[in-house]
Amino acid sequence: MTKGTTLEPKPGNEPPRIAETPAGLLNSIGLQNPGVEKVISGEIPWLRQFGVPVIVNISGYSVAEFEELAARLDSVPEVAGLEVNISCPNIKGGGMAFGTDPQGAAQVVKRVRAKTRLPLIVKLTPNVTDITEIARAVESVGADAVSLINTLLGMAIDIKKRRPVLANVMGGLSGPAVKPIAVRMVYQVYRAVKIPIIGMGGIVSAEDAVEFMLAGAKAIAIGAGNFIDPLLPLKVLEDLEDWLDREGVKDIAELTGQCQ
Amino acid sequence: MTKGTTLEPKPGNEPPRIAETPAGLLNSIGLQNPGVEKVISGEIPWLRQFGVPVIVNISGYSVAEFEELAARLDSVPEVAGLEVNISCPNIKGGGMAFGTDPQGAAQVVKRVRAKTRLPLIVKLTPNVTDITEIARAVESVGADAVSLINTLLGMAIDIKKRRPVLANVMGGLSGPAVKPIAVRMVYQVYRAVKIPIIGMGGIVSAEDAVEFMLAGAKAIAIGAGNFIDPLLPLKVLEDLEDWLDREGVKDIAELTGQCQ
Amino acid sequence: MVAGEAKPGQFVMVRTSGTLEPFLNRPISIHRIDEAKGIIELVYQVVGKGTKLLSRISPGQHLQIIGPLGNGFSWQTGFKRVALVGGGCGIAPLLALAEKLLENEREVYVLLGAQTKEKLLAAEEFSQLGCRVRISTDDGSQGKKGFVTQLLEELVNSISLDQVYACGPLPMVKGLIKIAEEKGIPCQVSLEERMACGVGACLGCACPVRNPDGTVGYKRVCHDGPVFDAKELLLDNK
Amino acid sequence: MVAGEAKPGQFVMVRTSGTLEPFLNRPISIHRIDEAKGIIELVYQVVGKGTKLLSRISPGQHLQIIGPLGNGFSWQTGFKRVALVGGGCGIAPLLALAEKLLENEREVYVLLGAQTKEKLLAAEEFSQLGCRVRISTDDGSQGKKGFVTQLLEELVNSISLDQVYACGPLPMVKGLIKIAEEKGIPCQVSLEERMACGVGACLGCACPVRNPDGTVGYKRVCHDGPVFDAKELLLDNK
Ligand SMILES: Cc1cc2nc3c(=O)[nH]c(=O)nc-3n(C[C@H](O)[C@H](O)[C@H](O)COP(=O)(O)OP(=O)(O)OC[C@H]3O[C@@H](n4cnc5c(N)ncnc54)[C@H](O)[C@@H]3O)c2cc1C
Ligand SMILES: Cc1cc2nc3c(=O)[nH]c(=O)nc-3n(C[C@H](O)[C@H](O)[C@H](O)COP(=O)(O)OP(=O)(O)OC[C@H]3O[C@@H](n4cnc5c(N)ncnc54)[C@H](O)[C@@H]3O)c2cc1C
Ligand SMILES: Cc1cc2nc3c(=O)[nH]c(=O)nc-3n(C[C@H](O)[C@H](O)[C@H](O)COP(=O)(O)O)c2cc1C
Ligand SMILES: Cc1cc2nc3c(=O)[nH]c(=O)nc-3n(C[C@H](O)[C@H](O)[C@H](O)COP(=O)(O)O)c2cc1C
Ligand code: FES
Ligand code: FES
C-alpha cells in the first residue's frame, strides 16, 4: 500500500505535524507526495522488488481528479488495486468532504469504477453520523471492499502558547485511543454490506487484530502501531499464529464476524 | 448536576456495564434512575443541604416525555436548570437519535423550552458528521447553553468468549482517549454559536481544563476523571488556581476562546 | 488510616500506574488488617496488565489507593460454628474475616480451593490462627482432588453450621449457595464485578437482586456489596 | 549493537513506558559511544511525562530503543579548527562528536550555554578530552553571563574556523547560523522536531528546506537529518 497519492505533487502541511495524545496521536501530514507521475515512474518500480501486490492509495480534490488518477494507474502493470481515500481529514475542500456524504461518496466511486478494471477498496471516514450509510452507498456502485477507519478529526492546544499544537490547527486522531470506535464501526458495517472489510484503528497486538476480525474484518492494517516499533506488524503476525494454534483455530477466515 | 433522569423508573442495562479501553472506558449504564417523581421527592431535597444549584439532566424516549419532564421539574423550587440530554448512546430508540439530527434536536428543545422558564443546557453528542449544525439548531430555538461532548459510541470484544464485553453490545467511550475529539468540537462550536459552552471529555488535570477553555468553553466538567480519584475535581480546581496565578491570569473568563 | 477503619470483606481501589493507561483503578480485597501497626495487606494474582504493573513496583514505593470500600462481612454474637469457603484469589478477604471471628472463640472451618498447590493462598496462615483448614485442588496436588464445593457438601453433611461465607469465581459461588440453601444455612457471598469508580457513584458494577418488595433491580457491588446475603442475589443469568 | 554502528549526531528512539501511554517513543541523542564495550550513553533533561518516566527506571532495567537513527555530523580530513556550540540539552550529541574529531589532532573549541550552572552538561568531560571549553550561563552562575551566541561571536572575531557545529534551542541555532554565515564559515546544525516513527516513514517531522534546484520543500528531520547544512534550511517561519 502506498501513501496517499494525488494528481499533482503536494508539499504537505507545515510543521508541527504531530501531536501526542493519550494513547494515540494527531497527525496532519497533509498528503505530502511527489504526485502520481513520480509515483508511477519512481516508487512503483522500486516497490516491485518486494514481490508484493502494490495497492495505490489515491486522494483527489475533485471527482475529476479521482477519475484522472484512476485512469493513469489503470495501465500500470504493477498496480494490483486502488484504495480510494474519501476520508482524509487533513486537506481542505477535498478528501473527507466526499466521505461524509453518501451521495458524494457514491459519485466518486462510480466515476472511478468507470475508469479502471482494478479492484477498488474504499477508505471510509469515522467522522460521520452513520457509517453504514456510506458503506452501503459505495458498495452499491461497485466498491470491491471497504477499509475503515481513517482518522478522527481532533485537536490539541499548547496552553503556554495559546495556539494549536499542529500548524494545521486540526489533525487526524489514531492509535489505541480510537480502537473502541473502530471496532464498533467494523461491527456495524459488517452487518450492513456484503463486501469484505479491512479493519484498522489502534491495533498494536494480535489480540487487537482478533478483536477486529471477530467484529467483521477480513483483513487488518496497522498504522500508528508502527510508531511503537517498526517491526510490530511482523510481531503481530507471529503472535497471531501462536494465538490461532493455542485456540485451535485452523483457518483464520473462521474468525470474521464471529462476535455474537 | 444529577444523573440522567427519565419519566419512569429505569432499572438500567444488564451487567457488565463497564469495559476499560486504552486511556478510557466504555460504559453502558443505561440511565438507571428511580424516575422523575422519586428524584423530586428524594434526591433533590437531599441535594439541597449542599447549597449548590441543582441542575437536572433529563432524558426521554419521545418528545412528549421530554416535555413532561420539563413541566414537572419547572415547578420544583430547588431546580436551577435543566440539562437536556439528547445524546445518550445507551438507550434504544430515544436519546442519541434526537441528538444526531438538527431537526430532531431543535424539536425537542423547542418543545421543552415552551414548558419551562428554567435555563436550558443542551447536551450534544459527538457521534455526528457536523456538531456545529446541531449546536446552531438548538441555539436557534432557545437553548441557553450547550454542553459537549457526551460519549462516543464504541465497542470492545472479549476474544476468548467471542462476545461483546458489555452486555448491551455497544457503550459510550469517554476519558482521556477522547480529549482531542472533544477539544476539536468545542473549538468548532465556539465559532458557530454565541451561547456559552460547557466543555468535557477526558479532563483529568488543570492543564486539560485550560485547554478546553482556550478552545472555547466557559465552564468544564469531569466525568471519567473521577474514577482515577473521586477528589480529582477539587484537585483540578486547586491546580487551576495555581496555574492562573503563575501565568498571571487575573480572571479565568479571559481564557475562553483565546486559542488563535 | 485505612487499617483503622477497615472491616473484613472490604476492598480498596488500587492505581496500578502513574500514567493514564491502564485507566481504571483495580479492586483488591483487604487480606489482613493490623490495626496496631496501621497496616493492611493485599494479596493479588497477576491476570492482566494492571496486576502485571503492580507486580513490578519496588518495595517501599508508594501506591495510590482509595478505601476501605464496600460493606464487608457481618456476623452475629450468637454464631458458634461457621465455614469460610474460598476459591482462587477469593481466598484473599477470608483471612481478615477469620481473624475477627476467632476473637470470640468460634469454631471456624476454612475450605480452600485452588487449581494447583502452587496457586493455593494463605493455607498456612489460616492453620496458624487456629482454623480447621481443608483443602482441594483441581489437579490433586494438595488436599482433595476436585472442587471446594465438594468440601462444603461433606462438611454440611457431617456437622451443623450457623453461617457460610463464600468468595471466589462465580460458578463456585453459585454451587456453594445451592448447598447452603438446601441445608437452610445462611450464606454471605462476596462478588466480583468490573468497576469504574468503586465508590457507588457510576452505577457501573451492577448486580441483579430481588428487592424486599419482590421486585427485581440492581445493586452496586462496590457500595451495596461486595458482600451480599445469598438470598437477595439473582445470579441465574450470570 | 547500537554502539558499533553509531555515529556522532545520530539519535535513538526510546520507549519510556511499558504501557500505551505515553504512546510515542522519545528521540534522544547519542551522547557518547564506547565501541569497545559496546555501550552508548544518553543524557536527557526531564521536561514532560516521557522523560519523567525515564528518570524513574531502576539501574539494570531494560529499555526498548530503536537506533542508531538519522545521518549524524560529517567532517572532512582537511578540517583543522572547529567549534562545537551547544545550548541546554543540545550539548548532548556534541561529546561523541568531540571524541571523533580529536582522533585526528584537530583544535576543537567547545562553547557551552545553559540557564544556570546546575543545568550545564558535560563541561568537565569536554575539558578532559582536551577541548578548549568556554561557557556562558543566562544568570552568570558559571562562565560568562549571557548567551552562547556571544561566545561564538567573540571566537569568530579572534580566530578562523573551518566548521561550526551547532545544536540547541531554535532561537539559539538561528543566531549561530547568522554569525557563521556572516564569516562564511560552513555550519552544520542538529534540529529538533516532534517525531512519531523516527525512521523516515510517517513524514511527521517535516522541516522546510531549499532544494538544490531552488524549489522549496520539506525534509524529514529523523531521516534526512537531524543534522543539516545550515545553507539548505529555511528556518524563518519557525
Ligand atoms: C471486590 C473485589 C475484590 C477483589 N479482590 C481481589 C484480591 O484480593 N486479589 C486478587 O488477586 N484479585 C481480586 N479481585 C480481582 C481483581 O480486581 C482483578 O483480578 C483485577 O482487576 C484484574 O486487573 P488486570 O488489569 O490485571 O486484568 P485485566 O483483565 O487487564 O483488566 C481489565 C479490566 O477488567 C477488570 N477486571 C478484570 N478481572 C476482574 C475481576 N475478576 N473482577 C473485577 N474486575 C475485573 C479490571 O479491573 C479492569 O478494569 C477482586 C475483585 C473485586 C471486584
Ligand atoms: C533528534 C533529537 C535529539 C534529541 N536529543 C536529546 C537529548 O540528547 N537529551 C535531551 O534531554 N533531549 C533531547 N531531545 C529532546 C527530547 O526528545 C524531548 O525533551 C522529549 O521528547 C520530551 O519528552 P517528554 O515526554 O518528557 O515531554 P512532553 O512534552 O510530554 O512530550 C510530548 C510530545 O512532544 C515531543 N517533544 C517534546 N519536546 C520535544 C523536543 N524538544 N523535540 C522533539 N520532540 C519533543 C515528545 O517526543 C512527545 O511526543 C532530542 C530531540 C530530538 C528531535
Ligand atoms: C502519520 C499518518 C499518516 C497517514 N496517512 C494516510 C494516507 O496518506 N492515506 C490514508 O488513507 N490514510 C492515512 N492514515 C490513516 C491510517 O491509514 C489509518 O486509517 C488510521 O491511522 C487508523 O489506524 P491506526 O490507529 O492503526 O493508525 C495515516 C495515519 C497516520 C498516523
Ligand atoms: C459511567 C458514566 C455515566 C454517564 N451518565 C451520563 C448521564 O446519565 N447523562 C449524561 O448526560 N451524560 C452521562 N455521561 C457522560 C458524561 O457526562 C460526559 O459527557 C462524558 O463521559 C465525557 O466526559 P469524561 O471523558 O470526563 O467522562 C456518563 C459518563 C460515564 C462515564
Ligand atoms: S464501580 Fe461505580 S458504582 Fe460501583
Ligand atoms: S518521525 Fe516519521 S518521518 Fe520522521
Side-chain angles (χ1 to χ4, degrees), chain D residues 62-79:
Chain D
H62 283 255
L63 273 184
Q64 183 188 315
I65 67 171
I66 303 165
L69 301 169
N71 58 358
F73 294 104
S74 60
W75 51 88
Q76 288 165 28
T77 38
F79 284 179

Side-chain angles (χ1 to χ4, degrees), chain A residues 150-171:
Chain A
N150 210 319
T151 53
L152 281 135
L153 196 59
M155 178 171 176
I157 296 173
D158 182 326
I159 62 171
K160 286 250 158 214
K161 299 189 186 150
R162 300 193 182 182
R163 277 208 327 238
V165 176
L166 300 176
N168 201 41
V169 183
M170 296 179 199

Side-chain angles (χ1 to χ4, degrees), chain A residues 70-256:
Chain A
R72 296 219 200 159
L73 289 160
D74 184 57
S75 55
V76 180
E78 290 91 347
V79 175
L82 300 181
E83 185 177 49
V84 187
N85 184 2
I86 53 169
S87 48
C88 183
N90 284 324
I91 52 174
K92 275 158 202 132
M96 201 173 94
F98 295 112
T100 54
D101 163 39
Q103 268 112 52
Q107 201 201 358
V108 170
V109 175
K110 195 173 179 176
R111 304 258 298 260
V112 166
R113 178 74 291 168
K115 294 286 176 192
T116 177
R117 30 103 252 137
L118 288 169
L120 291 184
I121 305 165
V122 181
K123 181 125 175 209
L124 305 181
T125 172
N127 299 293
V128 293
T129 308
D130 181 0
I131 195 166
T132 64
E133 237 187 352
I134 318 280
R136 269 192 294 255
V138 300
E139 179 186 46
S140 74
V141 291
D144 298 297
V146 283
S147 56
L148 54 141
I149 57 174
N150 210 319
T151 53
L152 281 135
L153 196 59
M155 178 171 176
I157 296 173
D158 182 326
I159 62 171
K160 286 250 158 214
K161 299 189 186 150
R162 300 193 182 182
R163 277 208 327 238
V165 176
L166 300 176
N168 201 41
V169 183
M170 296 179 199
L173 179 68
S174 67
V178 310
K179 196 185 69 169
I181 301 170
V183 170
R184 181 261 293 183
M185 290 187 164
V186 169
Y187 184 90
Q188 291 178 317
V189 170
Y190 180 73
R191 276 151 187 76
V193 299
K194 295 208 171 52
I195 50 178
I197 298 168
I198 305 172
M200 69 203 72
I203 297 175
V204 295
S205 69
E207 286 76 14
D208 292 339
V210 173
E211 205 177 336
F212 274 85
M213 302 204 59
L214 292 172
K218 205 157 191 110
I220 60 105
I222 298 180
N226 289 293
F227 307 155
I228 295 184
D229 176 359
L231 300 179
L232 193 80
L234 299 179
K235 197 176 155 315
V236 167
L237 267 184
E238 260 175 46
D239 292 350
L240 197 52
E241 281 172 21
D242 290 349
W243 189 89
L244 294 171
D245 279 353
R246 267 204 317 277
E247 297 287 318
V249 180
K250 297 234 170 49
D251 181 359
I252 189 168
E254 281 172 28
L255 296 177
T256 299

Side-chain angles (χ1 to χ4, degrees), chain C residues 62-121:
Chain C
H62 283 253
L63 273 183
Q64 182 188 318
I65 68 171
I66 303 164
L69 301 169
N71 58 358
F73 293 104
S74 60
W75 51 88
Q76 288 165 28
T77 39
F79 285 179
K80 277 254 132 313
R81 228 194 235 146
V82 300
L84 279 50
V85 196
C89 58
I91 295 171
L94 300 180
L95 192 67
L97 176 62
E99 287 183 329
K100 265 292 180 215
L101 291 170
L102 287 166
E103 284 175 9
N104 284 300
E105 321 252 333
R106 294 184 180 91
E107 251 176 67
V108 178
Y109 289 84
V110 174
L111 315 181
L112 305 177
Q115 288 177 314
T116 65
K117 188 180 166 172
E118 288 70 36
K119 293 203 171 163
L120 183 69
L121 276 186

